[in-house]
Amino acid sequence: MMSQQLIPGPGHPITVEPNPARVVVKAGDRVVADTTRAQVLREASYPAVQYIPLEDVDLAMLARSEHQTYCPYKGDAAYYSLTVVPDGENAVWTYEAPYEAVSPIKGHVAFYPDRVEIEEVA
């Protein structure tokens, strides 16, 4: 079965732009990611999401999980669990083959803000 792909528009806008700030992600007292190359995805009325390049993430703290979801605007999401915190299951997601409208997030991961501390440093 083919999943329906939707294109962002006036009724459901999505923008992706580079974040000029440094973004640091911590799980407990450990730095999981530190980047000056984050992409900020703003989708409709949802809170903005920081997408961090995989190269700027400590992959030793992540474990690939079986969990997957689908977004008609972005594509198939794969998940990682954070191994360094008790509630880290499926706390990180990535779109490995995102749709064209959000192609800048390819090769990036995002973190659930209720599981980690995400700080923008001026």
Side-chain angles (χ1 to χ4, degrees):
M1 185 176 126
M2 193 66 184
S3 298
Q4 182 184 14
Q5 179 179 347
L6 300 177
I7 306 299
H12 193 101
I14 298 179
T15 61
V16 182
E17 348 177 273
N19 185 340
R22 177 177 165 209
V23 178
V24 179
V25 179
K26 291 182 183 172
D29 58 353
R30 304 188 53 184
V31 174
V32 182
D34 187 341
T35 188
T36 55
R37 301 181 300 148
Q39 296 284 333
V40 183
L41 185 142
R42 290 179 176 87
E43 178 176 359
S45 60
Y46 301 114
V49 176
Q50 305 286 339
Y51 279 84
I52 312 290
L54 267 173
E55 302 87 55
D56 297 336
V57 176
D58 185 343
L59 299 177
M61 296 187 198
L62 303 184
R64 183 74 175 231
S65 79
E66 297 293 312
H67 189 62
Q68 293 182 331
T69 58
Y70 174 73
C71 169
Y73 292 97
K74 296 188 287 288
D76 292 308
Y79 285 76
Y80 293 91
S81 292
L82 271 172
T83 58
V84 293
V85 289
D87 62 344
E89 187 177 358
N90 300 320
V92 185
W93 73 93
T94 183
Y95 291 93
E96 293 169 332
Y99 292 148
E100 186 62 34
V102 295
S103 61
I105 65 172
K106 182 177 174 68
H108 292 60
V109 296
F111 297 83
Y112 281 110
D114 60 338
R115 312 277 190 89
V116 296
E117 180 186 327
I118 302 172
E119 182 183 4
E120 288 186 61
V121 183

